[in-house]
Amino acid sequence: DIQMTQSPSSLSASVGDRVTITCQASQDITNYLNWYQQKPGKAPKLLIYDASNLETGVPSRFSGSGSGTDFTFTISSLQPEDIATYYCQQYDNLALTFGGGTKVEIK
Amino acid sequence: QVQLQESGPGLVKPSETLSLTCTVSGDSITSYFWSWIRQPPGKGLEWIAYIYYSGSTNYNPSLKSRVAISVDTSKNQFSLRLSSVTAADTAVYYCARVLGSRVVPAATFDYWGQGTLVTVSS
């Protein structure tokens, strides 16, 4: 299986701050990576696919980049409604795997 | 609008079989791959399995020996069976629609059910 390592596991930032989350794959996954947002008690929601493509309807303050083994997810200006846990997920092979998640809180 | 709804017992005894069904509305189950994902309380997401309407399946290697996924096109439903459960199988179980990609037939979870908590306890 391809292991996905996210960091940090949690962070606290102020409204308006730029927030960055990283996801590292245990092997080259090209750009076969998605990012999801999960709010407490809710199902995950797809935000970004193919590492950098914004899903329809997702605010433009969310973005993704990277290729190979190293990927970044960014919130350009943190909003109160962005409080959630964020997960990366690879689809380079048939066994789909998620990162451990990053919990984002407001300072 | 695509909607998915999980159903099944919320409590299962250790060593027994967990059975869940996902009912899909707003889309034909013959159009995509469909999947189960779970999340133990306070922990991360784990993909379990996916299926195509033709019966083509793929399983998480760590669960493969205990899992079976099936589809009923007449009811627009797909189902999960997980045998020999233990407390470690206690989780919220989600069903989801899966989009394909250039490299794999099932890649991206775009629609999710609300999830159902299954507790394994005597």
Side-chain angles (χ1 to χ4, degrees):
Chain A
D1 287 6
I2 298 175
Q3 307 302 315
M4 306 301 294
T5 304
Q6 274 184 249
S7 61
S9 57
S10 66
L11 66 89
S12 181
S14 299
V15 172
D17 281 356
R18 184 180 185 86
V19 169
T20 298
I21 298 168
T22 64
C23 181
Q24 185 171 58
S26 59
Q27 66 188 64
D28 188 339
I29 60 169
T30 314
N31 68 328
Y32 305 139
L33 185 94
N34 301 318
W35 289 96
Y36 299 86
Q37 174 193 64
Q38 186 179 33
K39 296 184 177 181
K42 300 294 186 182
K45 173 187 175 184
L46 176 67
L47 297 182
I48 290 171
Y49 61 95
D50 293 347
S52 60
N53 293 310
L54 206 61
E55 176 73 343
T56 302
V58 174
S60 59
R61 64 180 180 274
F62 296 102
S63 65
S65 64
S67 65
T69 60
D70 296 307
F71 300 86
T72 300
F73 173 82
T74 300
I75 307 173
S76 61
S77 176
L78 185 67
Q79 300 302 303
E81 59 267 32
D82 300 336
I83 299 314
T85 300
Y86 294 84
Y87 293 93
C88 60
Q89 174 245 321
Q90 67 78 24
Y91 53 93
D92 182 69
N93 67 19
L94 296 177
L96 308 175
T97 51
F98 291 89
T102 298
K103 186 174 184 179
V104 175
E105 298 176 318
I106 294 287
K107 191 181 294 184
Chain B
Q1 178 74 348
V2 180
Q3 293 186 314
L4 297 92
Q5 178 67 57
E6 304 89 351
S7 59
L11 181 64
V12 180
K13 290 183 169 54
S15 80
E16 294 190 345
T17 297
L18 177 161
S19 295
L20 295 173
T21 295
C22 182
T23 301
V24 179
S25 57
D27 195 6
S28 170
I29 205 162
T30 62
S31 301
Y32 294 93
F33 279 81
W34 304 89
S35 185
W36 289 97
I37 302 112
R38 70 179 182 178
Q39 184 172 37
K43 295 188 178 180
L45 300 164
E46 180 180 37
W47 166 71
I48 301 172
Y50 61 69
I51 189 166
Y52 194 54
Y53 80 97
S54 62
S56 175
T57 59
N58 190 32
Y59 296 100
N60 186 321
S62 68
L63 297 169
K64 188 173 183 177
S65 63
R66 298 194 292 129
V67 174
I69 189 171
S70 59
V71 64
D72 186 337
T73 55
S74 67
K75 295 181 179 179
N76 228 40
Q77 295 176 333
F78 63 104
S79 298
L80 174 73
R81 289 174 58 86
L82 179 65
S83 63
S84 305
V85 297
T86 69
D89 295 309
T90 293
V92 174
Y93 285 77
Y94 294 100
C95 59
R97 191 178 80 169
V98 201
L99 303 178
S101 77
R102 296 184 303 279
V103 291
V104 293
T108 300
F109 307 102
D110 67 337
Y111 284 97
W112 297 65
Q114 65 186 19
T116 187
L117 174 63
V118 179
T119 301
V120 178
S121 174
S122 56

